[in-house]
Amino acid sequence: MGLELLSSPLQQPGVAPPDGVLIRTHDLWKTYEMGDTQVHALSGVSFEVQRGDYLAIMGPSGSGKSTLMNLIGCLDTPTRGEYWLNGRLVSELSDDELAYIRNKEIGFVFQTFNLLGRSTALHNVELPLIYNGTPAEERLQRAREALQRVELGSRMHHRPNELSGGQRQRVAIARALVNNPSLLLADEPTGNLDSATGLEIMALFDRLHQAGNTIVLVTHEHDVAVRAHRIIHIRDGKIDRDERTR
Ligand SMILES: Nc1ncnc2c1ncn2[C@@H]1O[C@H](COP(=O)(O)OP(=O)(O)O)[C@@H](O)[C@H]1O
Ligand SMILES: [Mg+2]
């Protein structure tokens, strides 16, 4: 382990990565057309993430973090380049196939929690299972288990406005986990929390990582990034630095 994870010279375009590699991007570009000018939001980004790793993507505003996050999360497709997720080449899938992969492979955690305000914690956590047709009884059981994993077993029937910010984010994390996704993808997960609550959420990510989850989080906060085991710094749509912190 170590250096070979940090560089990409061995990457072979068109060839699936080995099983230990959950994410591989090869020369990923995203170009937006703005009238007659082109904005290169990403310019040739190549990296790999091993299964079980904990990665932070850091960079200043406008550096391409959200663009990269949208590609990793299968919310968008690259202009050019390859993206492999869990052995599948997702850069060439249709919108329907992307929707399927998003539901099955990825648990999303957002800065603004994105919960349904009128639904209980339990129902919010059940939602991804409703979308993929899991039978009701199994759904309930798995949603309860996911809420217990984030220590909200006693708050299952509360609605978001009856929960604190930290509890709301934990509901969102339970929802992200309920499908046992291969990747937990978080976008500024502590951005709307006070610092003490932010630390609690980061401690929960530590535990989830120790339990075997692969985590990629995007942040502009150094204190958050250093909790990860590896930090990729991006600048002007390129990887500026790739450091392993432990
Ligand atoms: N839909 C879009 N259309 C045009 N330009 C965009 C679009 N989305 C992002 N960009 C541009 O791409 C660059 C990277 O943006 P973004 O990925 O949002 O950066 P970050 O999340 O790091 O702030 C910026 O210059 C931004 O203006
Ligand atoms: Mg952004």
Side-chain angles (χ1 to χ4, degrees):
M1 303 272 284
L3 272 182
E4 76 274 17
L5 301 182
L6 304 182
S7 55
S8 54
L10 297 177
Q11 286 191 8
Q12 287 264 334
V15 177
D19 192 53
V21 175
L22 180 64
I23 288 174
R24 170 184 286 173
T25 74
H26 179 80
D27 198 25
L28 216 52
W29 289 74
K30 184 72 186 183
T31 304
Y32 295 106
E33 308 283 341
M34 303 285 288
D36 339 331
T37 58
Q38 291 188 324
V39 178
H40 298 296
L42 293 177
S43 311
V45 170
S46 302
F47 67 99
E48 290 185 349
V49 180
Q50 302 289 120
R51 245 175 246 288
D53 208 349
Y54 183 1
L55 167 70
I57 296 172
M58 244 195 116
S61 179
S63 57
K65 298 184 299 296
S66 294
T67 304
L68 183 55
M69 179 94 187
N70 290 342
L71 296 182
I72 294 172
C74 300
L75 295 160
D76 200 358
T77 49
T79 308
R80 181 146 72 80
E82 284 182 9
Y83 172 33
W84 296 85
L85 174 64
N86 205 9
R88 295 195 60 178
L89 183 59
V90 296
S91 42
E92 282 161 16
L93 299 183
S94 68
D95 287 352
D96 284 351
E97 290 167 320
L98 288 175
Y100 174 79
I101 297 270
R102 273 199 301 276
N103 180 275
K104 185 168 169 289
E105 301 280 0
I106 304 169
F108 291 94
V109 178
F110 301 98
Q111 177 172 357
T112 50
F113 322 136
N114 296 15
L115 300 175
L116 295 184
R118 291 162 171 275
S119 298
T120 61
L122 191 62
H123 186 71
N124 270 285
V125 174
E126 266 189 290
L127 275 181
L129 301 174
I130 293 174
Y131 293 143
N132 70 20
T134 305
E137 205 167 311
E138 183 187 338
R139 230 160 53 203
L140 265 179
Q141 189 187 334
R142 283 171 55 187
R144 281 200 198 101
E145 277 167 14
L147 281 163
Q148 278 152 6
R149 269 195 271 174
V150 299
E151 293 167 354
L152 280 180
S154 60
R155 296 285 187 279
M156 284 192 234
H157 302 292
H158 291 238
R159 294 191 166 74
N161 66 2
E162 299 161 341
L163 297 169
S164 69
Q167 289 172 334
R168 288 178 203 180
Q169 191 59 303
R170 282 192 278 147
V171 173
I173 292 169
R175 180 184 58 190
L177 292 170
V178 76
N179 259 331
N180 290 319
S182 43
L183 174 65
L184 202 54
L185 192 55
D187 189 3
E188 302 279 3
T190 62
N192 272 6
L193 302 174
D194 62 72
S195 53
T197 310
L199 283 173
E200 276 173 34
I201 294 297
M202 295 314 294
L204 174 57
F205 278 114
D206 288 348
R207 289 207 300 283
L208 294 172
H209 174 240
Q210 276 156 21
N213 291 284
T214 310
I215 303 175
V216 173
L217 70 80
V218 171
T219 184
H220 67 276
E221 288 181 81
H222 180 75
D223 291 355
V224 171
V226 294
R227 301 294 289 256
H229 290 209
R230 176 185 173 194
I231 306 175
I232 289 183
H233 299 261
I234 65 169
R235 180 175 291 276
D236 297 333
K238 296 192 183 75
I239 294 180
D240 188 40
R241 197 147 54 89
D242 187 338
E243 60 173 328
R244 190 153 278 285
T245 52
R246 69 196 81 177

